Structures are given as structure tokens and as C-alpha cells.
Amino acid sequence: MNQLEEQALQEAIVNDKCDAILARADHYSLQLEVVYSAFKHKEEFPKASLLECLQVGADEWDVAL
């Protein structure tokens, strides 16, 4: 596997994890709250990744995977 394929695979894995967090939040009707918390985390930690922010948001609303 070349470097470009490896990068695409890693991005796909991150996207799947983000989708899973959002789907779980939606299942509990907490998607807006999780995304809001993710934005607040990003505001406090600008270098945080999207996945990290969503994980923090999901954890704050007890819908973490």
C-alpha cells in the first residue's frame, strides 16, 4: 500500500468514527448538543481534531461509543 492509499484509508476510518458518534447522538436526539459541545471544545483547543472534538462532545452528553 502506498502512502496516498494509507492516508485515504486513515481518513476513511476517522470519517467512519465521526459518523458513528453523530449517529449515536442522533439516536438519543442529542446531535445538536454533541455538536455544540464539540464546537466549544474546538474553541478552547483550536488544534484539536474533528474526531477529538466529537468524542469530547459525545462524552459530555453520555453518548460516547
Side-chain angles (χ1 to χ4, degrees):
M1 181 178 303
N2 67 35
Q3 187 177 6
L4 189 57
E5 291 172 331
E6 179 66 29
Q7 182 180 358
L9 178 60
Q10 291 303 318
E11 288 175 7
I13 291 169
V14 168
N15 288 342
D16 286 346
K17 289 179 180 181
C18 290
D19 286 345
I21 290 169
L22 292 172
R24 184 166 170 91
D26 189 50
H27 176 77
Y28 292 103
S29 299
L30 291 169
Q31 194 172 47
L32 179 62
E33 291 83 354
V34 168
V35 170
Y36 179 79
S37 293
F39 274 114
K40 294 303 282 183
H41 184 75
K42 184 69 169 178
E43 189 175 72
E44 189 174 345
F45 301 96
K47 293 186 179 190
S49 69
L50 174 61
L51 178 57
E52 178 186 331
C53 292
L54 288 173
Q55 288 170 329
V56 168
D59 190 52
E60 286 181 11
W61 288 95
D62 294 326
V63 295
L65 299 175

